[in-house]
Amino acid sequence: MSHDCEPCRISRRALLKGAGAATTVAVAVPALGASAAFASTNATRRGDVVVNVFLRGGMDGLSVVVPRHEGAGAGHYVAARPTIAVDPAAVLPLTADFGLHPAMSSLMPLWAAGRLALVPTAGFPLNDRSHFTVQRQMDHGMAERTAADGWLARYLNTTPGTDPIGVRAANLPYGQRSMHGSTVSVTMGSIDRFRINGFAGPGGMAQAALRALHEGGSSLVDQRARQAIDALDLVAAAPIEPPANGAAYPTTGRGRRFGESMRQIAQLIRADVGLEAAATESSLGWDYHSGFGPYTDGAMQGSVEALAQVLAAFATDLGPLMDKVTVVLMTEFGRTFRENGNAGLDHGRASTMMVLGGGIRGGLYGDWPGLAPEDIDRNGLRVTADYRLVLADVLEHRLGVTDLAAILPGFTPDDAARLNLADPLVEPAAPVAVPSGATAELPPVAPADRPEEQTPEPADDAPAVAGPGTYVWVTPEQAVVHVEVPAPAGDPEVAPIEAARAALGGPVSSYVLVRIDNSSGTAPVVPPLMSVRSSDGVPSAYRESWIVLGEWIAASSGVDVAGAEALGADIRSRSTVEPGTSATLALVAAGAPSDVAEVRVGSGSSSVPLAQAVAAP
């Protein structure tokens, strides 16, 4: 079956790869024998704060990421939804073939910054269309098996904290099944009501009585009671501040409640109370069996607009703290492909999962199944990405989990199916200082010629030499990463990429090439985020450019477009560089620094400065 068309530049498979009123605090008490748990501060926490948002009700993913080109099935989509389809000509372009609902424009700055990943064919692996069954299984991180605890609870229970006082995990505004079974989570209706009521007086009286009751006790219950009271005191002492950076959460309408929960999660993060995980939900009316409405002013339009406004406000509120925060949004299923007789949509299959954060590789992910009649799964968009593939990337790459089976039991992702939508955490190791060389080319790196052996002295927390050239980093797994930064202006090598990118809607101002020599490495390497900082302090972030890769190969190598697309798809599928191999990747950014002052690898506070190996002529 073919879906090819003249304007389609990328193959279909490669297209997307790249508490109650009386008591407002509930504190989980672990089973006997569990070890003490501690919290982390923003400074001591190694992994991200993870925020899990469940969009309960079944969100229609085809109204979020909309096919806008025939190669993606735009004609089939419009024909299947005569009164409720989003006009493909009105969407906000994401790629040549897909666009975002026009009411979600507040998310476009995150998309442009490479901080938003969309997986439009994600879902539960089994064809179960019961809200309650699928929600429960996804909250537990399961498929066919059952569990007594949630996937976030298992993560927290198997990961030690570093601070004896703090709030490691929070549910707002009430308990979430993903946290069920956690030994450290608290549930709060709101921060200002996070207290213990009792004795017909202020909560402080009850807290004092409980502290006196458990003071000095050595049992696990005594320890946990003291820890809970410490958490209450910590939150009570935290500054209650308005949203930062001009962030505006919805205060009326459909997004008010969800906005309030996300605002308070952001407040806990900014107050640095030790938060490592938070869980909430967004019931914005997704279950539209009828009354879906037109994309311009209908019910679904209001839902997606509110969702986007809250997420954008959250990111703005946190500002630089988003470098160490990952938000995961999931829903139990999408809706039917064809609209029903009530101008609505019934329970379907795949929907769009969303992940945003400073360590996220923005883009579209997953294999697009097509929208022709033979591609549809019982009137639903076919699931091609198990929802646990997204969780696996977040757990391993942003939270530092090394035993995935302990968090997602029964799930062993195939390497070929991995999405790699997040930058791996970078060990805070010293950079490798390499003296400037006279040669313009770096020779192949042999084990005996490693830069770390050439320069035993530790380097400062900055490159040895500023300016364009080749920067070197030796990973903890002993892979050697060369980041080749061209001159920011007037470099003739930029021309092929600019010419190729122009066909997709605009030139690329700058790029870097990354050569990874993992011939002597001990573990696979996933290329992380690279950043280049100019002398005026403005950074430019560089990420793997799956969008322009095929076009760039064609323009720079002279091979035909079909061959370039095939090669580009192969490179994208091999974004993990295995031991004993090497790879070259093209990364692009929207803005070029006027001159290079620093090159770093990694995200935010977990990044590592690189030393320059070859100075510019």
Side-chain angles (χ1 to χ4, degrees):
M1 175 186 62
S2 174
H3 295 265
D4 295 335
C5 58
E6 178 61 28
C8 242
R9 299 183 177 88
I10 304 176
S11 67
R12 185 174 62 169
R13 177 175 177 81
L15 194 61
L16 299 183
K17 176 76 178 175
T23 304
T24 56
V25 54
V27 181
V29 178
L32 294 177
S35 60
F38 301 94
S40 303
T41 66
N42 288 335
T44 62
R45 185 181 61 252
R46 166 161 164 69
D48 286 1
V49 178
V50 58
V51 180
N52 182 215
V53 179
F54 207 113
L55 307 176
R56 301 197 188 277
M59 181 186 73
D60 177 44
L62 283 171
S63 293
V64 175
V65 176
V66 183
R68 60 188 288 250
H69 191 277
E70 280 304 315
H76 294 296
Y77 165 75
V78 172
R81 301 179 174 195
T83 69
I84 63 174
V86 179
D87 183 357
V91 300
L92 305 170
L94 299 173
T95 69
D97 293 273
F98 294 92
L100 195 67
H101 193 294
M104 304 182 80
S105 59
S106 53
L107 290 181
M108 290 307 288
L110 287 168
W111 173 265
R115 291 188 162 204
L116 174 63
L118 302 169
V119 190
T121 58
F124 191 62
L126 306 180
N127 198 342
D128 191 321
R129 306 194 186 193
S130 162
H131 288 295
F132 309 105
T133 300
V134 180
Q135 285 184 23
R136 181 179 64 249
Q137 293 297 89
M138 292 180 71
D139 277 329
H140 290 166
M142 297 291 194
E144 298 181 90
R145 299 176 56 181
T146 58
D149 50 6
W151 70 273
L152 270 179
R154 291 193 292 275
Y155 161 67
L156 291 163
N157 292 346
T158 57
T159 307
T162 59
D163 194 327
I165 298 177
V167 179
R168 283 193 69 194
N171 298 270
L172 284 99
Y174 32 78
Q176 297 294 314
R177 276 191 299 258
S178 60
M179 287 274 200
H180 182 72
S182 166
T183 63
V184 297
S185 67
V186 298
T187 297
M188 56 182 75
S190 66
I191 292 175
D192 58 347
R193 298 200 309 271
F194 186 60
R195 61 184 183 270
I196 297 176
N197 295 334
F199 298 0
M205 295 176 60
Q207 284 179 224
L210 285 173
R211 188 180 290 279
L213 177 65
H214 295 285
E215 196 71 38
S218 59
S219 71
L220 192 58
V221 172
D222 290 326
Q223 295 175 33
R224 284 294 180 263
R226 290 195 298 270
Q227 184 181 350
I229 296 170
D230 287 339
L232 288 164
D233 292 341
L234 182 65
V235 172
I240 305 298
E241 298 178 344
N245 307 310
Y249 294 90
T251 57
T252 61
R254 196 164 297 181
R256 179 180 63 83
R257 291 186 179 180
F258 177 46
E260 181 65 12
S261 295
M262 294 298 285
R263 183 189 69 81
Q264 296 192 71
I265 292 172
Q267 185 174 324
L268 290 173
I269 295 171
R270 287 192 287 112
D272 203 10
V273 298
L275 193 71
E276 298 177 27
T280 188
E281 63 183 49
S282 166
S283 299
L284 292 172
W286 307 114
D287 198 19
Y288 290 119
H289 291 274
S290 61
F292 194 95
Y295 78 93
T296 53
D297 57 0
M300 184 64 177
Q301 182 270 345
S303 296
V304 297
E305 181 178 51
L307 176 65
Q309 288 173 344
V310 172
L311 295 177
F314 181 80
T316 300
D317 192 356
L318 289 180
L321 290 176
M322 274 300 291
D323 284 345
K324 293 299 294 291
V325 175
T326 295
V327 183
V328 182
L329 296 97
M330 55 207 292
T331 190
E332 61 264 41
F333 41 63
R335 313 303 295 186
T336 47
F337 176 55
R338 294 180 292 275
E339 71 176 78
N340 60 28
N342 296 316
L345 298 168
D346 300 318
H347 300 176
R349 289 289 285 122
S351 187
T352 298
M353 284 186 72
M354 308 169 68
V355 190
L356 60 141
I360 299 306
R361 297 173 165 179
L364 292 177
Y365 291 86
D367 292 334
W368 184 248
L371 298 180
E374 62 269 26
D375 300 323
I376 298 301
D377 181 9
R378 286 185 258 184
N379 199 19
L381 179 64
R382 190 176 302 278
V383 173
T384 67
D386 190 311
Y387 77 98
R388 291 169 295 179
L389 287 171
V390 178
L391 300 186
D393 275 4
V394 171
L395 286 164
E396 291 186 334
H397 293 166
R398 301 311 306 162
L399 304 183
V401 168
T402 56
D403 184 6
L404 187 64
I407 317 301
L408 302 176
F411 181 63
T412 305
D414 186 285
D415 286 344
R418 293 299 294 261
L419 302 175
N420 289 325
L421 55 74
D423 289 324
L425 295 171
V426 177
E427 294 289 347
V432 179
V434 182
S436 297
T439 59
E441 295 291 336
L442 280 179
V445 179
D449 297 324
R450 288 197 179 283
E452 59 182 355
E453 296 179 15
Q454 297 174 12
T455 309
E457 296 181 3
D460 296 331
D461 189 28
V465 182
T470 300
Y471 292 74
V472 176
W473 174 53
V474 177
T475 73
E477 298 81 18
Q478 300 306 301
V480 182
V481 179
H482 309 283
V483 183
E484 300 174 12
V485 182
D491 188 336
E493 292 189 18
V494 178
I497 298 184
E498 287 189 333
R501 181 59 172 144
L504 294 180
V508 170
S509 300
S510 63
Y511 75 99
V512 298
L513 294 179
V514 179
R515 294 195 292 117
I516 300 178
D517 180 358
N518 203 14
S519 58
S520 299
T522 59
V525 174
V526 177
L529 172 72
M530 308 289 174
S531 64
V532 176
R533 187 174 296 273
S534 60
S535 59
D536 58 5
V538 178
S540 294
Y542 293 78
R543 297 176 184 273
E544 185 176 351
S545 177
W546 60 269
I547 296 177
V548 304
L549 196 53
E551 287 78 1
W552 176 69
I553 292 171
S556 60
S557 66
V559 301
D560 59 35
V561 173
E565 290 175 358
L567 183 55
D570 183 60
I571 292 175
R572 285 191 296 272
S573 69
R574 297 170 184 266
S575 58
T576 298
V577 183
E578 299 294 335
T581 64
S582 299
T584 298
L585 302 172
L587 298 95
V588 297
S594 58
D595 57 334
V596 180
E598 186 179 44
V599 178
R600 302 184 72 93
V601 58
S603 302
S605 59
S606 67
S607 64
V608 175
L610 307 187
Q612 189 173 19
V614 179

